[in-house]
Amino acid sequence: MSAQHPVTLSPTAQPAEAPAHPNQFALLRQRRFAPFFWTQFAGAANDNLFKFAFTVMVTYQLSVSWMPPALAGLVIGALFILPFLLFSATAGQLTDKYEKTRIIRFVKNLEIAIMLVAGAGFVAGSAAILLGCVFLMGLHSTLFGPVKFAYLPQALNERELTGGNGMVEMGTFVAILLGNVAGGLLVALPAIGHTTVAVACLALALLGRLVAQFIPPAPATDPGLTVNWNPVSETWRNLKLAHGNTVVFRSLLGISWMWFFGAVFLSQFPSFAKDVLHGNEQVASLLLVVFSVGIGIGSLLCEVLSRRHVEIGLVPLGAIGMSVFAIDLYFASRALPPSEVLTLAAFAAQPAHWRVMADLLLLSLFAGLYSVPMYALIQMRSQPTHRARIIAANNILNALFMIASAVLAGALLSAGFTVPQIFLFTGIANAVVAFYIFLLVPEYLLRFVAWVLSRCIYRFKVRGDEHIPTEGAAILACNHVSFVDAVLLMAASPRPIYFIMDHRIFRIPVLGALFRLAKAIPVAPQKDDAATYEAAFERAAQVLKDGDLLAIFPEGGITRDGQLQAFKGGIMKIIERAQADGVRAPVVPMALTNLWGSFFSRIEQGGAMVRPFRRGMFNRVGLNVGAPLPAAEVQPALLRERVAGLLQISA
């Protein structure tokens, strides 16, 4: 990017358009993402190189009477997490108030200063100095955390947000892995280990600061904010602020649970490798490598599986996989016979260990599928002016959940649980917690059903999905071919949709429950039930007034002959009610194709859903989306003409 045409990101919204790219890796060639990615990569690598080198040093090389080797990892971990509890709320405010690139560069300058002090501590072999630097590096990460996730929605549009988050998650875990490996290797170098670690930490800090210079400006989202420097009251205020948006807050809890889940496994890897797998230190490192690779693969798969939208239907899939493979890890590891200490080669040579590694890889892969869409949802649904403070609230909750995981794991070990039994307990607990979260936030479950239907029952292709608004009120008008039309529209939209549906569909088992869960609006003919008829239009007007998406099937019922029926006047009444509230919502025409003749259509004389495998599985169906019509131009005949034109596009 030339100096004459600098990149400046929007302060409160995602860019309306972004350069087309084939996949998330292409973002690494764009200035709005690449410098930020490598800055956070260098920071995560430096955090972990420093911490692990220090841990190895006090465990194997120094004799510190006031910090026994057995407690070194616990003390270092606790000191690093402490700033997240104390200063996350302040960091969130600063990120909302000031330009984000300015914050990033300040944090990287702070990292250089900390590494200069840490270098002196390594050379002098001073555990006290290095413990102080652990706390300061925790502060560095606390300040960077809100910027890390608040920057992305300003730099990326909705179609890129899942891929961008996947890249960041993958990069973070790879950096953690490389930092740990490098820290362990460098500190063990005879005679020059400590000096080499000091130089490496400073070099990474300088590299991160250099790359940060190329991050484009990201303007403040709330420059008039008055900073509250009291961490206690501001932490409470941040949690209340997050609690104000039910879906966002419960998603924060879901992410924090993932950190709880992951922390249990990561903390037990050394004991698991030594006491259960009978492996040496290299086997413990292998567990970390496999776990990190799994997280990275899962994070990158999110964009592929989500059609480059924020697809929260992947979250239940991730939760199911986490539980299944955590439980199987217990069964795979409990029957391993006693043996002498195994080297890495000897460990890998035994087929019984392959199942353990496969479970660990798939467990962490599904954790990646679970977490990335949740992060993207929080970024997309949080109010831009408060986004960094919401992320700060997430960091606070993450820290609390990680502390709770350490306490629970310690309590279970004290109660006589083995490490495999702790994994079993965690897998079962994950299933219970996930089920509870999905009951509290049914949108996750609904999107999962839509995701399964559109990928595992049908081959669903969407054309023109860029016409579905990513923000603001709009009316979606679609032909009505089958009982699952609404589910397929859910799968195509990055946002929740409120449907106006014939009240009789709510009587159908399973589908009726699904649509009630989706808060669909029942409507009946005025002559049959005037109260339901009027209530439906009042509720529809409120949906549009709230800035949400409303879907209607203007034919008034499912086609019985596969042909597009005449459009009724209900949509005009919705538009008029909305205009009375000052809302002029555009109308987006849509056409579902190739669904006629499927199990869920009314092609059979006996009705729908008579022959389950009438057309087999994985049939190709489609949704064609047209350009929005201004509310003032909409008429039933014109709208029907637009939908009819979309039906001519081959599925």
Side-chain angles (χ1 to χ4, degrees):
M1 187 66 65
S2 67
Q4 288 79 15
H5 300 282
V7 176
T8 302
L9 306 177
S10 166
T12 59
Q14 303 157 13
E17 295 183 4
H21 57 87
N23 56 53
Q24 62 220 64
F25 290 100
L27 290 170
L28 290 175
R29 297 194 297 270
Q30 298 181 24
R31 185 184 163 193
R32 61 199 172 100
F33 182 79
F36 167 79
F37 174 86
W38 292 115
T39 299
Q40 71 86 28
F41 185 94
N46 208 11
D47 273 346
N48 288 278
L49 190 157
F50 164 69
K51 284 192 301 176
F52 196 70
F54 179 34
T55 304
V56 170
M57 189 176 84
V58 296
T59 302
Y60 294 101
Q61 299 172 356
L62 294 182
S63 178
V64 183
S65 59
W66 45 270
M67 188 169 62
L71 293 178
L74 181 63
V75 170
I76 290 170
L79 266 179
F80 189 80
I81 290 175
L82 184 58
F84 285 90
L85 295 175
L86 296 178
F87 304 118
S88 283
T90 304
Q93 293 178 91
L94 295 174
T95 301
D96 278 333
K97 182 176 178 63
Y98 296 109
E99 194 268 318
K100 291 177 180 56
T101 307
R102 179 181 171 188
I103 297 286
I104 292 171
R105 290 170 185 162
F106 169 78
V107 170
K108 302 314 288 184
N109 290 337
L110 177 62
E111 183 182 353
I112 293 171
I114 296 168
M115 287 299 103
L116 285 170
V117 177
F122 275 115
V123 172
S126 171
I129 292 176
L130 292 173
L131 280 175
C133 290
V134 167
F135 180 85
L136 291 174
M137 284 301 285
L139 175 62
H140 153 272
S141 297
T142 301
L143 293 172
F144 190 73
V147 186
K148 174 179 174 181
F149 288 107
Y151 173 86
L152 289 177
Q154 287 184 237
L156 307 178
N157 63 31
E158 186 273 333
R159 292 175 66 86
E160 298 169 318
L161 202 51
T162 294
N165 275 284
M167 290 294 291
V168 169
E169 282 293 286
M170 177 276 297
T172 299
F173 276 90
V174 170
I176 290 171
L177 175 62
L178 294 177
N180 281 329
V181 170
L185 292 175
L186 294 179
V187 77
L189 292 174
I192 61 168
H194 295 185
T195 303
T196 305
V197 169
V199 171
C201 287
L202 182 59
L204 271 175
L206 290 169
L207 179 62
R209 177 61 182 87
L210 176 65
V211 178
Q213 195 62 35
F214 296 95
I215 300 174
T221 51
D222 191 5
L225 175 68
T226 300
V227 176
N228 174 17
W229 296 100
N230 184 325
V232 176
S233 63
E234 188 58 29
T235 294
W236 181 248
R237 187 183 302 174
N238 276 14
L239 293 173
K240 287 177 65 178
L241 181 67
H243 191 266
N245 186 324
T246 302
V247 172
V248 168
F249 183 71
R250 288 170 178 167
S251 298
L252 297 181
L253 293 177
I255 288 176
S256 296
W257 171 257
M258 193 277 292
W259 282 101
F260 177 104
F261 181 92
V264 169
F265 284 84
L266 289 170
S267 66
Q268 297 306 312
F269 278 169
S271 297
F272 185 58
K274 179 181 178 182
D275 300 330
V276 179
L277 302 180
H278 313 295
N280 62 10
E281 295 88 343
Q282 292 176 325
V283 173
S285 297
L286 176 64
L287 300 183
L288 178 62
V289 170
V290 170
F291 192 87
S292 300
V293 168
I295 288 281
I297 294 173
S299 299
L300 294 178
L301 277 177
C302 286
E303 185 184 62
V304 176
L305 296 175
S306 66
R307 291 200 185 99
R308 296 169 72 176
H309 280 299
V310 177
E311 180 50 84
I312 62 174
L314 296 176
V315 174
L317 178 66
I320 292 168
M322 288 161 66
S323 284
V324 166
F325 292 106
I327 292 170
D328 191 66
L329 184 60
Y330 162 75
F331 289 105
S333 58
R334 68 171 184 163
L336 294 176
S339 71
E340 299 297 324
V341 176
L342 300 172
T343 64
L344 183 60
F347 175 83
Q350 296 187 17
H353 295 147
W354 299 352
R355 179 180 169 189
V356 172
M357 293 297 102
D359 282 334
L360 195 57
L361 178 73
L362 291 169
L363 176 156
S364 54
L365 183 151
F366 279 98
L369 291 180
Y370 175 93
S371 63
V372 168
M374 274 195 174
Y375 276 119
L377 177 75
I378 291 167
Q379 292 163 339
M380 191 172 73
R381 300 279 181 89
S382 297
Q383 188 176 340
T385 54
H386 296 77
R387 188 180 285 131
R389 278 167 281 173
I390 298 297
I391 299 300
N394 180 55
N395 290 339
I396 295 166
L397 290 171
N398 289 349
L400 291 173
F401 273 65
M402 290 172 71
I403 292 169
S405 77
V407 171
L408 179 63
L412 291 175
L413 287 171
S414 299
F417 278 63
T418 64
V419 173
Q421 286 172 341
I422 291 175
F423 292 165
L424 174 66
F425 175 87
T426 306
I428 294 171
N430 180 71
V432 173
V433 170
F435 181 73
Y436 179 65
I437 290 174
F438 301 146
L439 285 181
L440 290 177
V441 189
E443 187 181 344
Y444 284 109
L445 190 59
L446 293 168
R447 292 300 296 251
F448 176 62
V449 172
W451 185 85
V452 170
L453 182 71
S454 63
R455 288 164 177 79
C456 301
I457 296 178
Y458 295 120
R459 287 180 293 165
F460 186 47
K461 183 174 183 179
V462 183
R463 287 187 174 91
D465 58 341
E466 68 274 9
H467 296 309
I468 303 175
T470 56
E471 57 183 23
I475 302 170
L476 312 179
C478 189
N479 61 324
H480 208 358
V481 193
S482 76
F483 284 102
V484 294
D485 293 351
V487 181
L488 290 173
L489 294 188
M490 285 182 207
S493 171
R495 298 166 58 196
I497 303 175
Y498 294 87
F499 293 88
I500 297 183
M501 305 179 72
D502 189 316
H503 68 293
R504 289 168 293 189
I505 203 170
F506 291 86
R507 301 172 191 164
I508 299 174
V510 182
L511 283 177
L514 187 68
F515 294 137
R516 277 191 290 272
L517 201 60
K519 299 181 181 177
I521 303 168
V523 64
Q526 189 172 22
K527 63 180 184 297
D528 294 344
D529 189 342
T532 300
Y533 177 83
E534 289 298 327
F537 288 102
E538 286 298 326
R539 178 75 183 101
Q542 186 60 47
V543 167
L544 295 174
K545 190 175 180 180
D546 292 341
D548 293 320
L549 295 179
L550 177 74
I552 183 171
F553 300 103
E555 295 166 275
I558 298 173
T559 180
R560 293 181 179 275
D561 58 8
Q563 301 301 309
L564 186 64
Q565 310 299 307
F567 281 14
K568 298 183 178 180
I571 192 166
M572 300 308 299
K573 187 168 183 177
I574 292 172
I575 291 172
E576 290 167 7
R577 290 282 185 96
Q579 288 178 337
D581 291 330
V583 179
R584 286 173 170 75
V587 178
V588 181
M590 296 178 159
L592 285 162
T593 61
N594 209 34
L595 268 168
W596 178 250
S598 72
F599 168 59
F600 296 103
S601 67
R602 281 177 162 161
I603 194 170
E604 303 287 355
Q605 290 186 355
M609 297 182 283
V610 175
R611 294 167 56 190
F613 302 104
R614 191 179 187 283
R615 272 174 42 185
M617 298 286 284
F618 307 113
N619 293 122
R620 191 183 299 278
V621 300
L623 175 68
N624 300 324
V625 185
L629 289 168
E633 297 179 11
V634 174
Q635 291 295 329
L638 173 63
L639 188 58
R640 184 186 181 281
E641 181 183 326
R642 292 291 180 91
V643 173
L646 292 170
L647 282 170
Q648 303 309 309
I649 302 173
S650 158

